[in-house]
Amino acid sequence: MQHLTIVTTGGTIDKIYFDDKSTFQIGSPQIGEILEALGVAFAFDVVSVLRKDSLHLDAGDRALIRAAIERQPHRHVLVTHGTDTMVDTAQALRDIPGKVIVLTGALNPALFKGSDAVFNIGCAVGAVQTLSDGVYIAMNGRIWNPNQVRKNREANRFEPLPG
């Protein structure tokens, strides 16, 4: 892989504690800083499309994400996304030709000690370099086909669809 395009949409991975309101809000994308700290050996750019919790994404937002990916000249695309509706967005991207698209996120903000963000990003980077064209989800150490996975919100994890 010569170049990785990273499309950011918000989600827990980019949440920060906003002290004035004692709440969490979506901050600036963390993935660029994470990859720089890891010293990756490939070029990348970060395209910030949205800063939303995925529960608030709608069809218009998914169209913006899709258009941003379609505009990219590079084949390898990693999308950071909130976990609650990641599968919905992956399905909205499934027929983009000529690209390997891997969505990932985190169950805890990247800035938290012990967050799963760095692990999930590493899995996604490995996946985007080795998979054939298509759309995938990299979470919890697994690579998922979006048609075969769901997020179990009660257990706060991804799991195969029954059947």
Side-chain angles (χ1 to χ4, degrees), residues 108-149:
N108 296 298
L111 293 176
F112 279 23
K113 183 176 182 176
S115 171
D116 57 335
V118 173
F119 180 74
N120 289 337
I121 289 168
C123 288
V125 168
V128 79
Q129 293 182 75
T130 58
L131 294 169
S132 58
D133 290 358
V135 180
Y136 307 89
I137 292 174
M139 286 294 299
N140 310 116
R142 291 194 55 185
I143 308 304
W144 303 89
N145 175 324
N147 297 322
Q148 298 173 338
V149 67

Side-chain angles (χ1 to χ4, degrees), residues 23-99:
T23 60
F24 289 97
Q25 295 184 347
I26 307 292
S28 60
Q30 298 297 305
I31 190 167
E33 292 177 29
I34 291 169
L35 292 176
E36 286 176 11
L38 293 173
V40 297
F42 53 84
F44 66 89
D45 64 318
V46 178
V47 178
S48 183
V49 176
L50 298 167
R51 286 189 185 180
K52 283 188 167 184
D53 186 295
S54 72
L55 290 172
H56 301 137
L57 295 181
D58 59 24
D61 295 323
R62 288 185 175 87
L64 285 173
I65 296 165
R66 182 184 178 92
I69 292 170
E70 289 174 327
R71 280 193 305 271
Q72 301 310 310
H74 305 288
R75 179 174 174 251
H76 300 96
V77 179
L78 190 155
V79 179
T80 61
H81 196 285
T83 60
D84 285 317
T85 65
M86 186 182 291
V87 172
D88 299 332
T89 299
Q91 290 172 343
L93 304 174
R94 70 177 170 249
D95 60 349
I96 296 176
K99 297 197 183 289

